[in-house]
Amino acid sequence: MTDAVSYDAAYASWQADPEAWWAAAAEGISWTKRWDRVFDPSMGAYGQWFAGGMLNTCYNCVDRHVEAGRGDQPALIWDSAMTGKVVTHTYKDMQTRTAKVAGALAALGVGRGDRVVVYMPMVPEAAIAMLACARLGAIHSMVFGGFAAAELATRIEDAKPKVVLSASCGLEPGRIVQYKPLLDLALEMSPHKPDSCVILQREQCLAPLTPGRDHDWASVEAAASPHDCVPVLATDPLYILYTSGTTGRPKGVVRDNGGHAVALWLSMKTMYGCDTGDVFWSGADVGWVVGHSYIVYGPLLRGCTSVMYEGKPVGTPDAGAYWRVCAQHKVKTFFTAPTAMRAVKQQDPEGKLTAQYDLSNLTALFLAGERCDPPTAVWSHEILKKPVVDHWWQTETGWAITSGFMQYGLFPFLPGSGGRPCPGHDLQTLDDDGNVLPRGTTGNLSIRLPLPPGCGPTLWQNEEGYRTAYLSDFPGWYRTGDAGVVDPSGDVWVMGRTDDIINVAGHRLSTGSMEEVLASHADVAECAVFGAKDDLKGQTPIGLVVLKSGVNRPHAEIESELVALIRERIGPVASFRDARVVPRLPKTRSGKILRASIRKIADGETAPVPPTIEDPAALDEIAAVLHRAR
Ligand code: COA
Ligand code: AMP
């Protein structure tokens, strides 16, 4: 059934019998015990998939491919433009290393259900760390390297890991990011202390180890006895991935083992057209959901070769870096963020560098992480002369909600559209009262429950928070937090978030959490952070602050303190470079800050004066400040 030949047939087949559809897909996974029920509606917030089934995700990603005789096939190609190295791990290598690292973790007391925080750069050991946890039935929680110590501390505090796996450093163009001092600081800040830390020493910078707590990765891996795969319930958590919510506290999205394996295994072929032996490359960071799903789990579940790239789209060494990687490793499907394509376009506007590389193996470019602006989609299509597929998803969903499908035949190219709903999703737009809107009407993009396998079933130890954040506004539906429209042909157009989340260079950030940081500055009375349009990053945050009365220090001095404060508390990833002192914030008579109007002014659009505004002159004052050059 899942091999249906057209999109319409596939979607209709899923709709006719969702459980049969997913049960058929589940045949692609090796189970140690088959499920009791494909879907059990009585479990969790809205039901759970493959209840009673048992499997091991690492076994499905690694061991079974070795057992099938593909041990010598490359599983992970690490291409580091930062160091000039390429290292290939075969499936056999991955089996040996994950078994040893799992053994090392077990020796440190990690077992099924224990948490392990992984704070690592783009090195093969990051993938090995994740798989080693999966092998033990332990729950990993990756933290992206661009976050500050305070963000790492919040995640450690919430996940309460037994062990933290980290590295001495990450490599960013022009600087070495020392991870160990950030980790040490985070551990000082967090009330929860792990028993041990295992540190991968990279030659670019060796980290001092704290005796009794810290262990050298290479030594513990070498000394460990290999550990076998531990079967877990399909409904047991595989990982927790924290993502920005609407408050300062990030949300710990939980991913289960069974549904996740089934959905990702299926998506590799239906969406990306990749099967066993094909080379797939996702240019994301392994610390984000795209990296979890499509650097590590998806490609390996399917027996593909996955490329992990430590580098940037430009500057490492030039705007041809992506094409070099695609050609060198014979990439069949490449996935990146629109912002990366905009970076390439800025430096190589005619795409001349593509001519230097043999891209004959490349069949398609997939884009996600933010809405792809039509000019970037068109340009990418023109320079590559390959299909360009924008697909829409979220950390919470773990894979695409809407997409184009290599297996079913791609839809006509519609720049700006995110494709059509993946079988498994009944996607509708709802009005603010939860009524389904007719096609062609903009509304709250929402998915009728249950969510398909692979989507996050809960938040870590916070089911109530899950219900409040996603399920309670529209009973019977999952609210995505995005606004958009499903047009009469079924194509979906995602317009943007309905909450305070912004997307900066494909990185998801909360303006609410930035406001909390700005408000903690001694001179700030109130503030508003919003995302303004940016040619490269899609959006960048701007912070407007009103000073406490009596503060008469130079504004420029306070503004640079605020920029430094966000970098220190949230991290460089926030790309927060613009804070401006304003006399007051425009508000409604009931005291609500008019963020949408402020954003429009910053973007150079005309901001209609809302009838509820307290004093229209406040908008003119903001315009004067925002239009002041920096
Ligand atoms: N560890 C530490 N710091 C990091 C980091 C990491 N893993 N990733 C980013 N940073 C830092 C950067 O060095 C930069 O620091 P700076 O302020 O000192 O310059 C800051 O965070 C902002 O990074 P970013 O927003 O990524 O901007 P950039 O100018 O470094 O690069 C792009 C811009 C477009 C090249 C880059 O964002 C990019 O490649 N994006 C594509 C990502 C992608 O493919 N995502 C797929 C998701 S679906
Ligand atoms: P993240 O959880 O970091 O993957 O961010 C998810 C959010 O990014 C979504 O809710 C959207 O707002 C946005 N997003 C991701 N992919 C797309 C896309 N293809 N089109 C439009 N918005 C997208």
Side-chain angles (χ1 to χ4, degrees):
M1 231 177 308
T2 46
D3 281 332
V5 285
S6 75
Y7 169 78
D8 287 342
Y11 196 85
S13 165
W14 163 73
Q15 247 181 342
D17 191 345
E19 292 194 22
W21 167 272
W22 288 115
E27 296 300 338
I29 294 301
S30 301
W31 300 83
T32 46
K33 175 183 172 287
R34 280 178 83 81
W35 51 91
D36 300 326
R37 295 185 71 174
V38 178
F39 181 70
D40 183 343
S42 70
M43 293 176 73
Y46 59 82
Q48 299 224 319
W49 291 95
F50 306 107
M54 294 194 82
L55 76 163
N56 181 279
T57 296
C58 179
Y59 175 80
N60 275 280
C61 287
V62 178
D63 301 64
R64 68 168 174 160
H65 303 307
V66 178
E67 288 169 15
R70 281 183 278 105
D72 293 333
Q73 183 199 310
L76 188 72
I77 299 174
W78 177 62
D79 185 309
S80 170
M82 299 304 300
T83 62
K85 284 189 185 155
V86 174
V87 175
T88 298
H89 283 73
T90 63
Y91 273 99
K92 183 79 196 94
D93 297 333
M94 291 301 277
Q95 186 185 39
T96 308
R97 293 201 68 191
T98 54
K100 294 273 265 177
V101 174
L105 286 170
L108 293 170
V110 176
R112 183 175 166 188
D114 289 331
R115 274 81 58 215
V116 175
V117 161
V118 185
Y119 181 54
M120 296 194 69
M122 290 286 279
V123 289
E125 286 76 7
I128 290 166
M130 294 161 79
L131 291 164
C133 291
R135 195 171 188 89
L136 289 175
I139 304 165
H140 62 75
S141 186
M142 291 281 297
V143 181
F144 174 65
F147 281 123
E151 292 285 329
L152 176 59
T154 312
R155 287 154 174 79
I156 290 173
E157 187 183 339
D158 197 69
K160 299 190 175 41
K162 259 202 182 148
V163 172
V164 175
L165 297 174
S166 189
S168 54
C169 65
L171 306 175
E172 283 291 294
R175 74 189 166 107
I176 290 177
V177 184
Q178 295 200 25
Y179 276 41
K180 189 62 187 353
L182 293 170
L183 173 60
D184 287 340
L185 185 57
L187 292 179
E188 257 172 53
M189 294 166 132
S190 164
H192 171 84
K193 316 285 177 199
D195 299 340
S196 329
C197 299
V198 180
I199 311 294
L200 178 79
Q201 296 282 19
R202 299 189 75 185
E203 63 190 38
Q204 292 76 15
C205 132
L206 294 183
L209 302 183
T210 307
R213 186 196 71 189
D214 298 346
H215 304 267
D216 169 54
W217 181 302
S219 314
V220 293
E221 184 179 336
S225 320
H227 203 293
D228 222 340
C229 296
V230 176
V232 296
L233 284 169
T235 47
D236 278 349
L238 169 68
Y239 69 77
I240 308 165
L241 182 55
Y242 289 88
T243 189
S244 302
T246 48
T247 65
R249 287 200 79 75
K251 297 192 270 198
V253 174
V254 170
R255 193 86 53 216
D256 66 11
N257 275 274
H260 174 252
V262 171
L264 294 196
W265 178 85
L266 183 67
S267 69
M268 284 305 300
K269 188 157 172 205
T270 55
M271 285 191 326
Y272 303 117
C274 281
D275 209 342
T276 307
D278 290 332
V279 183
F280 182 86
W281 176 27
S282 158
D285 190 283
V286 78
W288 300 118
V289 66
V290 177
H292 281 56
S293 293
Y294 293 113
I295 295 175
V296 182
Y297 290 113
L300 299 189
L301 282 161
R302 197 86 205 191
C304 299
T305 298
S306 179
V307 178
M308 175 188 262
Y309 173 68
E310 187 184 44
K312 300 278 172 181
V314 293
T316 57
D318 57 27
Y322 277 181
W323 320 133
R324 195 267 303 159
V325 175
C326 284
Q328 189 168 334
H329 306 302
K330 299 191 168 34
V331 170
K332 185 172 181 191
T333 305
F334 173 41
F335 176 171
T336 189
T339 188
M341 293 307 294
R342 289 194 295 268
V344 175
K345 185 179 165 195
Q346 276 188 358
Q347 299 210 358
D348 181 21
E350 287 162 41
K352 285 192 177 138
L353 292 171
T354 53
Q356 294 180 8
Y357 302 98
D358 173 5
L359 298 177
S360 56
N361 289 288
L362 188 67
T363 54
L365 168 69
F366 276 73
L367 298 170
E370 56 178 319
R371 175 176 176 269
C372 185
D373 52 296
T376 301
V378 170
W379 179 82
S380 305
H381 183 61
E382 278 171 5
I383 63 148
L384 287 173
K385 299 173 188 66
K386 314 270 178 189
V388 172
V389 184
D390 184 8
H391 60 329
W392 166 56
W393 50 302
Q394 314 181 310
T395 303
E396 289 84 343
T397 64
W399 60 291
I401 306 166
T402 64
S403 186
F405 301 86
M406 297 298 281
Q407 191 186 1
Y408 306 143
L410 291 172
F411 306 123
F413 183 44
L414 287 177
S417 162
R420 297 188 194 169
C422 299
H425 299 82
D426 178 357
L427 180 77
Q428 304 287 343
T429 44
L430 307 183
D431 67 18
D432 288 342
D433 297 322
N435 303 305
V436 176
L437 291 165
R439 283 202 167 179
T441 316
T442 304
N444 299 291
L445 288 167
S446 305
I447 304 164
R448 196 189 300 273
L449 294 174
L451 291 173
C455 292
T458 190
L459 294 178
W460 178 245
Q461 299 201 321
N462 187 9
E463 186 124 314
E464 207 33 55
Y466 183 87
R467 288 177 205 273
T468 312
Y470 308 108
L471 309 183
S472 58
D473 284 347
F474 307 131
W477 298 84
Y478 167 87
R479 180 186 186 142
T480 64
D482 281 297
V485 61
V486 184
D487 73 15
S489 324
D491 295 297
V492 178
W493 305 76
V494 182
M495 312 303 208
R497 299 283 309 189
T498 54
D499 52 19
D500 71 355
I501 286 168
I502 57 170
N503 242 290
V504 180
H507 310 313
R508 171 166 160 180
L509 298 161
S510 147
T511 55
S513 66
M514 291 188 227
E515 286 176 4
E516 280 178 27
V517 173
L518 296 185
S520 71
H521 187 283
D523 293 342
V524 170
E526 60 175 341
C527 62
V529 176
F530 62 96
K533 268 191 200 145
D534 183 89
D535 285 346
L536 174 64
K537 299 193 177 186
Q539 285 182 302
T540 45
I542 299 184
L544 301 181
V545 298
V546 178
L547 299 182
K548 288 179 181 161
S549 64
V551 174
N552 48 23
R553 298 169 54 213
H555 288 180
E557 199 175 296
I558 298 172
E559 288 165 352
S560 35
E561 284 170 14
L562 293 169
V563 168
L565 199 60
I566 297 260
R567 195 175 171 97
E568 180 198 314
R569 299 263 186 89
I570 296 180
V573 65
S575 288
F576 185 86
R577 300 203 172 90
D578 196 348
R580 300 181 187 212
V581 173
V582 291
R584 60 182 165 158
L585 292 167
K587 290 186 184 166
T588 61
R589 280 189 286 274
S590 59
K592 236 178 118 198
I593 298 171
L594 292 163
R595 285 187 174 72
S597 306
I598 300 176
R599 197 175 51 237
K600 280 209 162 76
I601 294 171
D603 291 345
E605 295 169 23
T606 13
V609 181
T612 52
I613 193 165
E614 191 184 30
D615 179 0
L619 279 180
D620 300 331
E621 291 166 11
I622 293 290
V625 175
L626 283 174
H627 296 152
R628 192 180 79 206
R630 301 299 292 182

